[in-house]
Amino acid sequence: AQTVTQSQPEMSVQEAETVTLSCTYDTSENNYYLFWYKQPPSRQMILVIRQEAYKQQNATENRFSVNFQKAAKSFSLKISDSQLGDTAMYFCAFMKRFNTNAGKSTFGDGTTLTVKP
Amino acid sequence: GAGVSQSPRYKVAKRGQDVALRCDPISGHVSLFWYQQALGQGPEFLTYFQNEAQLDKSGLPSDRFFAERPEGSVSTLKIQRTQQEDSAVYLCASSFAHEQYFGPGTRLTVT
């Protein structure tokens, strides 16, 4: 079974600054996906960024980037130029690669990020 | 088109009542997932469908929980004889190419 650990229950950052959210995971699988999701208060979960385990290059999406360390089983999220709209709960998730279809995801317990003006 | 929709958005049930939660996935998405999210925690997997076939129900907490997707599109999660510990947000997600798209969830409160 897979486990995902987010060791920072809460974090805060000043607007326009950079923040890094940590995530570690444990698996015996070699082919898998890792995700960061954003869940604003009382709003639905949306995908922020995705990393495929076989790719060595770290994924980036505009102000969001990851530091994927496969050997260390670490997958951190860096948010640059933080904006007030980034305030949300962030979840790290693991998905085993399953043929051509998605498998179930295993989520961490989340990090609540507050961006301060 | 439209995203994943869920209804009702909020449900209050008295202990012992049966409830039914509906999920309308994105059209054409083969896979559909149900998750349970307790307050302040990450979602926990309940069950998974590929078309109308329920391929994994290992996360259903008890035999009071039942899910179906008879025509491979809309899915219903049914909870019989609700208990207080069933209070949570129930999330549905449909997927395409290893990306899951989540609905807004149904917040169930059992009193």
Side-chain angles (χ1 to χ4, degrees):
Chain A
Q2 286 70 230
T3 59
V4 177
T5 302
Q6 294 179 249
S7 58
Q8 305 152 314
E10 296 182 3
M11 292 194 72
S12 64
V13 63
Q14 291 296 131
E15 195 176 7
E17 293 189 347
T18 296
V19 64
T20 299
L21 309 183
S22 301
C23 173
T24 58
Y25 59 95
D26 189 25
T27 185
S28 58
E29 301 291 336
N30 194 45
N31 293 319
Y32 52 87
Y33 296 88
L34 294 165
F35 304 87
W36 279 99
Y37 289 92
K38 169 184 177 181
Q39 189 176 43
S42 301
R43 293 180 63 184
Q44 66 196 82
M45 194 170 306
I46 58 174
L47 178 66
V48 174
I49 198 164
R50 152 184 142 162
Q51 175 78 41
E52 295 160 19
Y54 68 87
K55 290 187 176 178
Q56 292 187 339
Q57 186 172 4
N58 289 324
T60 60
E61 286 288 340
N62 301 315
R63 298 183 295 108
F64 299 88
S65 62
V66 299
N67 183 3
F68 173 48
Q69 302 289 329
K70 190 174 183 179
K73 296 180 182 173
S74 170
F75 183 61
S76 61
L77 174 70
K78 185 171 81 171
I79 306 174
S80 304
D81 185 25
S82 297
Q83 300 176 0
L84 296 178
D86 295 334
T87 293
M89 197 155 185
Y90 287 81
F91 292 97
C92 178
F94 171 101
M95 177 193 293
K96 176 183 170 183
R97 188 182 177 100
F98 179 69
N99 299 326
T100 57
N101 294 309
K104 63 185 179 185
S105 291
T106 301
F107 289 81
D109 279 339
T111 296
T112 299
L113 175 67
T114 302
V115 180
K116 298 180 178 179
Chain B
V4 178
S5 61
Q6 292 186 246
S7 61
R9 291 292 313 278
Y10 303 91
K11 177 69 179 178
V12 178
K14 291 187 176 179
R15 192 162 55 111
Q17 282 185 334
D18 297 349
V19 299
L21 312 180
R22 177 187 169 107
C23 173
D24 283 83
I26 294 172
S27 178
H29 281 194
V30 168
S31 300
L32 184 146
F33 302 81
W34 283 98
Y35 293 89
Q36 181 190 58
Q37 186 176 21
L39 187 64
Q41 296 184 16
E44 296 274 351
F45 170 79
L46 293 176
T47 188
Y48 157 54
F49 290 87
Q50 193 172 120
N51 295 307
E52 69 278 6
Q54 189 174 19
L55 298 187
D56 187 343
K57 55 182 181 179
S58 61
L60 296 177
S62 77
D63 58 7
R64 297 186 295 104
F65 287 70
F66 172 76
E68 60 183 4
R69 194 186 185 197
E71 298 178 358
S73 178
V74 171
S75 178
T76 304
L77 176 67
K78 297 179 179 177
I79 309 173
Q80 297 177 324
R81 306 181 303 281
T82 52
Q83 304 294 315
Q84 282 194 319
E85 61 264 28
D86 300 335
S87 295
V89 174
Y90 290 85
L91 297 173
C92 174
S94 67
S95 74
F96 176 77
H98 298 99
E99 288 194 12
Q100 295 188 355
Y101 298 82
F102 285 84
T106 294
R107 182 177 297 278
L108 173 65
T109 303
V110 181
T111 61

